[in-house]
Amino acid sequence: MNYYVLRPDLTPYEGIKVTKETKLEFSNDKVRQKVEDLELIVESKIEDKKYVSETKMTIFLKEGDILLFERENRGYFLPIDSIGTVDTAIKDLQALALALDGDENDTNRNEETSS
């Protein structure tokens, strides 16, 4: 029996680390956002043929939180899942492979996506 992991979402996002001094504003067709005083205030309006959804949300931030940025949709968002840099992800996966298989490289080339 071998060990397998679900492949992570490797979408790269721009992001910022929040400090007490962080102030920013962003808006697109879907959201208006403001960060100030360790609060992310999000107002969104989504219109569809069958419904209209309007929301206003305040997310309480702490220093060191990382906000990721998605220009086309959500704007700034506080990720639910654990995040890290590309270097951290590589080190974590190599450590997992070494712990499970004694080898940090996939010698069977299973990293290639099968069609």
Side-chain angles (χ1 to χ4, degrees):
M1 178 140 343
N2 295 317
Y3 291 100
Y4 296 93
V5 296
L6 298 175
R7 288 187 173 171
D9 176 0
L10 298 176
T11 304
Y13 291 95
E14 294 178 283
I16 61 165
K17 189 176 280 193
V18 176
T19 68
K20 288 187 286 189
E21 293 80 28
T22 301
K23 292 182 181 184
L24 60 87
E25 292 187 23
F26 173 75
S27 65
N28 63 21
D29 292 343
K30 298 176 183 174
V31 298
R32 281 192 314 274
Q33 299 178 311
K34 181 178 180 179
V35 173
E36 191 170 21
D37 299 324
L38 294 175
E39 292 183 353
L40 170 58
I41 299 166
V42 181
E43 296 178 10
S44 67
K45 183 174 183 179
I46 300 171
E47 294 185 46
D48 192 52
K49 292 178 184 177
K50 296 183 179 184
Y51 68 89
V52 174
S53 172
E54 295 184 58
T55 60
K56 183 172 181 179
M57 173 174 42
T58 301
I59 299 171
F60 302 104
L61 304 169
K62 61 183 186 300
E63 284 197 275
D65 280 346
I66 295 175
L67 294 176
L68 299 181
F69 183 65
E70 188 180 71
R71 182 173 306 281
E72 299 300 318
N73 292 304
R74 297 181 277 184
Y76 289 94
F77 65 97
L78 185 63
I80 295 171
D81 297 322
S82 176
I83 62 168
T85 64
V86 172
D87 287 340
T88 300
I90 290 168
K91 289 175 186 173
D92 288 349
L93 290 172
Q94 287 174 336
L96 178 63
L98 189 60
L100 296 177
D101 299 332
D103 184 3
E104 63 185 43
N105 298 306
D106 186 344
T107 57
N108 294 324
R109 305 292 297 157
N110 289 325
E111 70 274 8
E112 294 180 2
T113 304
S114 59
S115 299

